[in-house]
């Protein structure tokens, strides 16, 4: 019997999630969050971002966070490095993976990165050698792959053009992000097909989905059907994007893990433990988190005799 197909969930709550919340978590709180998450069986965590703390104060002291967290076997820790300085900091701080970001629409890239897409892609080649020579995994997220809050629909061929350049520059994994939660399942199939065609079989592909318009889980179900390597999600559905208007909630990790498990996929995640963490995270905020399993709970999944 062949084992269940596996999907790698990458927990992005400590970075994408906390970055978009106005309340600034202390280093110790962030360390506790990451340590609790890394004990659940989740294989990947986007833990920190090496950006200018003046620009993103929620992500300050990334080195301290990396120095204090536990590093259990089998869990890979990623940090965002968006320029040469960020990549160097990430390498020195001991991350396993450096993630870069480029946005698929020109206006949004300008607002998010303060540069054109061409300049951002040129910046990728500057960090690529450093990261690869340090022996770390180099990956990238293509934000707003499904649509842009300023320019509207993004063409899949444009996403593929960017993906091809990233792959040529040494990127081994690419996350296709629905940053504003505008996508639908047929778009998942379209984008996956066009990007796969452009980058070949060697590049790992995944999706970063938001549930802003309630299509995030339908998109995730379609994505695993396409055979993606990984999916990003956040505990309790924490987060949005501080640079995109009205971009709420990543898909919630524990909801995703429940869906995938009962679809026959192996994620390795202890869902009960995750629910506990989601409720703990929620206690820091005034409003409820968007996760559903944390409210509904699991159910006795045996047949009554
Ligand atoms: Zn996100």
């Amino acid at each position: 019997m062949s084992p269940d197909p596996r999907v790698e969930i990458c927990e992005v709550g400590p970075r994408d999630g906390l970055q978009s919340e106005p309340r600034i978590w202390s280093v110790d709180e962030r360390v506790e969050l990451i340590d609790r998450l890394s004990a659940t069986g989740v294989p990947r965590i986007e833990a920190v971002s090496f950006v200018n703390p003046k620009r993103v104060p929620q992500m300050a002291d990334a080195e301290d966070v990396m120095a204090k967290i536990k590093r259990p076997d089998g869990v890979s820790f990623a940090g965002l490095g968006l320029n040469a300085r960020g990549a160097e900091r990430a390498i020195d701080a001991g991350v396993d993976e450096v993630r870069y970001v480029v946005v698929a629409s020109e206006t949004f890239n300008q607002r998010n990165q303060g540069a054109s897409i061409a300049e951002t892609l040129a910046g990728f080649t500057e960090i690529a050698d450093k990261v690869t020579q340090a022996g770390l995994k180099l990956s990238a997220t293509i934000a707003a792959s499904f649509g842009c809050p300023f320019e509207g629909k993004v063409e899949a061929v444009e996403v593929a053009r960017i993906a091809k350049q990233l792959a040529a520059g040494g990127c081994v994994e690419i996350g296709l992000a629905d940053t504003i939660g505008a996508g639908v399942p047929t778009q998942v199939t379209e984008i996956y097909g066009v990007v796969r065609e452009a980058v070949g079989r060697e590049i790992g592909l995944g999706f970063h989905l938001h549930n802003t318009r309630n299509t995030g889980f339908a998109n995730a179900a379609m994505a695993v059907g396409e055979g993606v390597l990984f999916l990003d999600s956040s505990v309790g559905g924490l987060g949005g994007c501080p640079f995109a208007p009205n971009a709420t909630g990543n898909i919630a990790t524990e909801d995703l893990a429940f869906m995938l498990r009962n679809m026959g996929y192996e994620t390795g995640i202890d869902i009960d433990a995750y629910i506990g963490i989601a409720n703990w995270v929620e206690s820091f905020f005034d409003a409820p988190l968007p996760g559903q399993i944390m409210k509904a709970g699991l159910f006795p999944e045996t047949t009554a005799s």
Side-chain angles (χ1 to χ4, degrees):
M1 214 178 100
S2 63
D4 288 342
R6 195 175 161 78
V7 178
E8 294 179 9
I9 290 184
C10 179
E11 167 63 49
V12 300
R15 204 289 301 172
D16 189 16
L18 295 186
Q19 174 169 332
S20 60
E21 297 294 341
R23 181 186 181 278
I24 294 179
W25 285 43
S26 71
V27 167
D28 287 345
E29 288 167 351
R30 287 156 66 196
V31 168
E32 183 173 356
L33 173 60
I34 294 166
D35 283 348
R36 290 178 73 151
L37 292 167
S38 73
T40 62
V42 72
R44 302 173 61 165
I45 299 177
E46 188 182 276
V48 288
S49 178
F50 298 91
V51 286
N52 185 340
K54 289 201 188 82
R55 188 160 145 78
V56 187
Q58 291 90 339
M59 291 293 106
D61 305 312
E63 285 84 353
D64 291 350
V65 172
M66 286 306 301
K68 286 186 170 182
I69 57 170
K70 298 190 182 96
R71 300 294 290 265
D73 287 345
V75 185
S76 174
F77 294 87
L80 252 60
L82 304 180
N83 51 36
R85 173 91 185 104
E88 280 161 15
R89 288 177 61 199
I91 293 163
D92 291 344
V95 300
D96 300 300
E97 171 187 349
V98 176
R99 278 187 163 189
Y100 193 75
V101 177
V102 54
V103 188
S105 92
E106 200 62 58
T107 310
F108 196 0
N109 198 72
Q110 278 288 354
R111 295 215 188 192
N112 202 57
Q113 322 289 76
S116 68
I117 292 174
E119 287 165 342
T120 303
L121 286 169
F124 179 76
T125 60
E126 281 174 32
I127 75 157
D129 283 352
K130 284 185 212 296
V131 173
T132 308
Q133 280 164 18
L136 306 183
K137 184 196 275 186
L138 177 61
S139 62
T141 298
I142 305 178
S145 287
F146 290 73
C148 165
F150 312 108
E151 293 184 18
K153 190 173 185 327
V154 171
E155 296 297 334
V157 290
E158 175 61 9
V159 179
R161 185 187 71 81
I162 294 168
K164 195 168 184 172
Q165 290 192 56
L166 291 167
C171 189
V172 299
E173 281 185 10
I174 297 173
L176 305 162
D178 187 10
T179 310
I180 61 166
V184 296
T186 44
Q187 265 182 297
V188 170
T189 302
E190 183 195 6
I191 292 172
Y192 184 82
V194 174
V195 171
R196 176 57 81 202
E197 176 77 27
V199 301
R201 306 293 324 171
E202 300 301 305
I203 304 296
L205 292 179
F207 284 90
H208 176 107
L209 300 165
H210 281 238
N211 202 34
T212 316
R213 291 169 180 81
N214 244 356
T215 54
F217 291 93
N219 292 343
M222 191 63 105
V224 295
E226 296 292 341
V228 289
L229 175 67
F230 68 94
L231 289 170
D232 287 355
S233 58
S234 72
V235 59
L238 185 66
C241 174
F243 305 109
N246 304 321
T248 53
N250 291 283
I251 54 172
T253 303
E254 63 280 3
D255 294 10
L256 178 64
F258 170 80
M259 181 180 84
L260 293 179
R261 183 189 72 185
N262 288 9
M263 287 171 73
Y265 288 87
E266 174 60 50
T267 66
I269 287 177
D270 178 342
I271 299 173
D272 279 316
Y274 240 93
I275 292 170
I277 302 168
N279 282 305
W280 173 72
V281 170
E282 189 177 68
S283 72
F284 287 86
F285 299 104
D286 296 330
L289 288 175
Q292 294 286 103
I293 297 280
M294 63 185 287
K295 304 179 185 85
L298 296 172
F299 67 102
E301 294 179 34
T302 49
T303 309
S305 54

